[in-house]
Amino acid sequence: MGAGWAWAVVAAAMSATQEPQVLSPLVKVRPGESVKGRKDARLSLARGECEAVQVALPGRVERPGVEPLTLKGPGAALNASVWREAFIDVKTPSNGQGRTGPWPDALVPVDAPGHDPKLPTVFYVEVCAPEKQEPGTYRGQLHVKAGGARPVPVSFTAEVQPFALPATSSLPNSFGVSMYSIARGHGVDPESPEARKLLRDYGRALLEHRVSAHGMSMTPPPVRFEKGRAVVDWSAYDAELGPFLDGSLLPSGARFTSTDVRDSKQARTDAEKTAYYRAFAEHFRQKGWPVQLFFYAKDEPKPEDVPLVKAQSARVRAAGGIPVLVTSPLDDALNGSADILTPTLNCFYPRPGPQTCHTVMEPGALRKRLAGTTRVWWYQSCNSHGCNGGPPADKKVDAAYSGWASYMVDHPAPLNRAMGVLAFSASVDGELYFDTVFAYNTKKDPWKDVFEFGGNGDGTLFYPGTPNRVGPSGHQPVLTLRLKHIRDGLEDYEYLRLLSELGDAAFARTAARRLARTGWDITTDAGEWEAVREEVTARLRKRWAESEYAKGPGRLTPQSTP
């Protein structure tokens, strides 16, 4: 939930001081905007959590650099990761809340080519504490450099809390990623070993940020049919996905919370399709993979798609053990077809003015209309910012598309982060997002343009890290501030969930409502987010000390296996 102090946007320009400024990650530093931070960095993080600050250098900076940061304390030293923020030129605002011009988004290596000294120089500095880290205070200094000047030290203090977050997200989620889009963005052969390595790198980056993926290579396992039974060759599938599903990919043991069934054209009849799905479910049971396997039905079905969705649902349910996910608001025509009903965020929160969902109801009311076993996920769409881009001429329309939780580049950072808090308040069962590399496949150069569906960054949470962009380190996924905010939001969810499990649910609900009253009424005050974080942390420390967990192995597991 952030570092432990309040921030303010003030009248004095940052360049008025010659010292580096330490800023909250919830402030997007743009050219010409006045911000003020601190001289030193103070972080608070749970075991199993990552937290960050921004360090901004004043004035025009040639050849910015940093020396490695190590923080020492009662346990093993903590090493920080440091990136330089790169700017994306927004030509069309996502809506009335957006603005044209440069926005910080991509996190590139500090020494990556292409630094523009006319733009702000900001480092994103992140500290992660392993789950078994010894609690206590850790200290160190980050030395920042500008050109040939002598390095300037910035003091860092990190307080590692006694409580721990689970490595795997307690909130199931599934964000799309495609090896073929990745290959196109990096200019490599989609069938090459290089493309498969990149796919694993992108999947790993998502998992490191508590995000699970669907799609991936999208290649279904080969199958043949013998006497009504599907005989499947799982070797390539298991090599690709196994490390993400069994917890062996990362030292933390984190794993995907969910993954999708890959439909196969080799299964032609209804009976063959059902046999194939049955083999999928059985394979997951035999592997013991504790993830939610789901079948992604026709996306956002139109009235003419209803027969298809019902047929898909019947085939999958005949196999047993695989829930059917349908991206739709409550719809009588699809009644009973979904095991995971997934409306857009806008369908949960009525608001004055034009509605962006034709069936809007509070989460509690929606659940009462569904069968008891039906789960409720949600997802962002262009209804959260407007599907056409730019400020609508009609002020009522602009108001209807403003304020929503949003993953857009040109929206305030708290809106990028708010989904975790909202998920806790609404008690939804999971989150879906359609893509993370969409612009790789649609734009000539995503570094110059990620405008899709009326929003800057809709469906794109990475940039292709090609050698000409990142330097000699070679092809790699370039992370974004927005992906960091999404991760922080999922950690917010863990804090609130953990506090509830320790017997303080009422306090957790009140804290969540201070940050996000509804999906469109979210505070953008970084100081308020930090204040709530401090209060929740203090409450958690107290509850943890009183709990049996403080005497045990030092962690809470997720409430249940997704």
Side-chain angles (χ1 to χ4, degrees), residues 181-269:
S181 295
I182 291 169
R184 180 164 181 170
H186 285 263
V188 303
D189 181 354
E191 303 298 333
S192 67
E194 189 172 22
R196 292 199 171 273
K197 180 186 181 301
L198 277 168
L199 175 64
R200 178 170 286 213
D201 291 344
Y202 275 79
R204 182 187 182 102
L206 289 171
L207 187 57
E208 287 172 338
H209 292 80
R210 298 182 173 269
V211 174
S212 304
H214 63 264
M216 300 289 282
S217 75
M218 297 184 287
T219 303
V223 59
R224 69 179 192 275
F225 298 93
E226 296 180 356
K227 298 179 180 179
R229 177 173 168 268
V231 180
V232 183
D233 178 358
W234 294 104
S235 54
Y237 181 90
D238 289 356
E240 176 191 333
L241 275 177
F244 294 94
L245 305 181
D246 63 18
S248 64
L249 186 71
L250 302 182
S252 66
R255 55 172 175 77
F256 280 179
T257 58
S258 62
T259 194
D260 59 325
V261 173
R262 295 179 181 176
D263 236 340
S264 175
K265 292 182 179 179
Q266 292 174 284
R268 295 178 176 85
T269 67

Side-chain angles (χ1 to χ4, degrees), residues 370-389:
L370 300 172
T373 58
T374 305
R375 277 160 283 177
V376 178
W377 288 23
W378 61 12
Y379 69 104
Q380 284 192 29
S381 71
C382 62
N383 282 339
S384 294
H385 52 79
C387 300
N388 298 317

Side-chain angles (χ1 to χ4, degrees), residues 17-18 45 58 69 78 81 108 117 122 127 135 179 214 287 300 330 374 376 390-391 410 478 500 508 513 518 529 554:
T17 175
Q18 294 307 304
L45 65 164
L69 167 62
L78 298 173
S81 299
V108 300
V122 185
V127 178
M179 183 174 72
H214 63 264
K287 285 289 188 179
E300 297 183 346
L330 187 66
T374 305
V376 178
D410 55 328
V478 168
S500 296
R513 284 195 296 270
T518 71
W529 282 79

Side-chain angles (χ1 to χ4, degrees), residues 48 153 162 230 278 323 328 364 407 527 530 541 550 555:
R278 187 177 296 116
S328 170
Y407 293 154
E530 307 298 348
R541 286 179 63 100
R555 68 166 290 183

